[in-house]
Amino acid sequence: MVNLIRTDSSNKDFVNLVSFLDADLKIKDGADHDFYNQFNKIHMLKHVVVAYENNQAIGCGAFKIHKNDIVEIKRMYVSPLGRRNGVASKILTELENWAVEQNFKKCILETGKQQPEAIELYKKCGYTITANFGFYENIENSVCFEKFITQANS
C-alpha cells in the first residue's frame, strides 16, 4: 500500500529522489539539461509530497506558489520500482488537494517533449496543454499544461 506524506524540501527522502530525477533528466534533456536545471532548485519548497511503499520512498512531487491563485507543479518523480502502479497520479492528486486547501484555483506545469510518460500522465489527470509560460515561453522543447482545481475535481 502506498502512503503519502506532506513535508517540505528538507525531507531527506525527497532530496534523494530528486537526485535520481535529475540524473534521469540529464540523459533525456541532453544538451538542454543545464537550461532546465536552473529552474528546478528545491531549496525552500514548502509543499512537498513523498510516496512510500513498505517504508521505502518511491516517488515525490511538489508545488511552489507561482502567482496569485496559481501553483506550479514541480519535481514529479517515481522510481522504477513504483512506476505503472498509479503512484504518480496519487502524488499529483495529493498536491492538487493541498493546493485547494490553501485556496489556490489553478495548477500549471512544464515538462519536456522528451518525456512522453509525463505528458501522458498529465493528460490522463485532466491537464490541458496551454501556451508556454514564464521561462519556457519561447522554448521549443517545453510543453506546458494547466488545470483548474476545486475540491470536487482533485
Side-chain angles (χ1 to χ4, degrees):
M1 178 174 169
V2 174
N3 296 312
L4 303 175
I5 65 152
R6 293 179 179 183
T7 184
D8 61 34
S9 60
S10 68
N11 180 288
K12 289 181 183 0
D13 291 326
F14 174 68
V15 172
N16 190 42
L17 287 165
V18 167
S19 70
F20 291 121
L21 169 62
D22 287 338
D24 187 50
L25 290 176
K26 188 169 188 162
I27 295 166
K28 289 180 180 177
D29 293 339
D32 293 333
H33 181 70
D34 288 339
F35 170 79
Y36 289 111
N37 197 43
Q38 68 182 321
F39 307 122
N40 289 320
K41 305 302 181 209
I42 62 170
H43 66 285
M44 296 180 47
L45 287 173
K46 295 179 178 153
H47 302 92
V48 170
V49 171
V50 179
Y52 293 88
E53 189 168 52
N54 299 322
N55 295 318
Q56 181 177 1
I58 60 168
C60 63
F63 72 76
K64 71 176 188 176
I65 298 170
H66 186 73
K67 62 180 179 181
N68 300 327
D69 58 356
I70 301 171
V71 297
E72 182 178 359
I73 303 295
K74 305 290 291 177
R75 313 314 318 195
M76 289 288 298
Y77 177 76
V78 176
S79 71
L81 292 173
R83 292 182 186 160
R84 299 287 176 204
N85 293 319
V87 175
S89 296
K90 289 177 183 173
I91 293 168
L92 189 56
T93 297
E94 184 69 9
L95 289 167
E96 292 170 359
N97 288 338
W98 198 358
V100 166
E101 290 168 17
Q102 305 235 334
N103 297 314
F104 293 102
K105 306 292 183 216
K106 182 173 154 181
C107 293
I108 60 172
L109 62 90
E110 181 274 342
T111 192
K113 289 182 179 177
Q114 290 84 13
Q115 298 164 43
E117 301 88 356
I119 292 169
E120 178 184 327
L121 167 72
Y122 299 129
K123 286 181 176 179
K124 180 182 90 172
C125 291
Y127 285 74
T128 56
I129 294 175
T130 188
N132 287 7
F133 59 84
F135 304 116
Y136 312 108
E137 193 169 356
N138 296 309
I139 307 303
E140 188 176 319
N141 283 331
S142 288
V143 181
C144 291
F145 287 87
E146 69 180 2
K147 180 179 180 181
F148 291 90
I149 53 172
T150 64
Q151 199 63 46
N153 72 8
S154 56

